[in-house]
Amino acid sequence: MHSINHRLTPVGQTGSRVDMAVRIVDDSLMLSDETAHQARSVSTGGWVVSYLPGRTVSIDQALAALRAAEELTVVRACAASLGLTVLEIAGMAAAECPWPPPPSEGFGRRLAFWLGVSR
């Protein structure tokens, strides 16, 4: 059995890093430690992913798809701690922040410092 590991280390709920690995077995099957989703080789350079029916992707795209599925396990845990679903937290986090940006250390602040003006 030929196996290649691709490591991804996202930040877990407590701030600790969690090792996730996607393995390629016998150059024909891609498996993950963190999700039941998988990818299978279907042609020279072509892969299909269990949750992307009807699409043939490259090996790099298949790896990205499984890594995304792994990341969802982390997002699912964060969402659950907030009483939200994965779709709810993803939609809310994808929206633009309604708060104004924090004050920057831009030119005006530096000029005020050099002029001795406090804000």
Side-chain angles (χ1 to χ4, degrees):
M1 174 164 75
H2 176 244
S3 178
I4 299 172
N5 288 330
H6 297 272
R7 295 242 169 247
L8 181 67
T9 53
V11 176
Q13 255 185 311
T14 60
S16 62
R17 293 205 117 9
V18 179
D19 241 6
M20 295 181 184
V22 173
R23 311 181 295 293
I24 301 174
V25 181
D26 294 332
D27 294 325
S28 63
L29 180 64
M30 209 178 282
L31 302 171
S32 165
D33 293 342
E34 299 294 321
T35 180
H37 286 293
Q38 53 188 278
R40 297 176 188 262
S41 175
V42 292
S43 63
T44 305
W47 291 77
V48 293
V49 179
S50 58
Y51 71 91
L52 298 173
R55 296 179 87 175
T56 302
V57 298
S58 70
I59 190 170
D60 290 335
Q61 291 170 319
L63 178 59
L66 288 186
R67 286 180 168 178
E70 286 182 333
E71 288 292 334
L72 278 178
T73 63
V74 175
V75 174
R76 185 173 287 113
C78 292
S81 73
L82 295 166
L84 299 170
T85 67
V86 171
L87 292 178
E88 288 170 330
I89 199 169
M92 292 173 182
E96 286 190 37
C97 180
W99 298 350
S104 67
E105 295 292 326
F107 175 76
R109 188 168 273 218
R110 287 192 307 268
L111 179 61
F113 171 78
W114 287 107
L115 295 175
V117 178
S118 63
R119 289 187 177 196

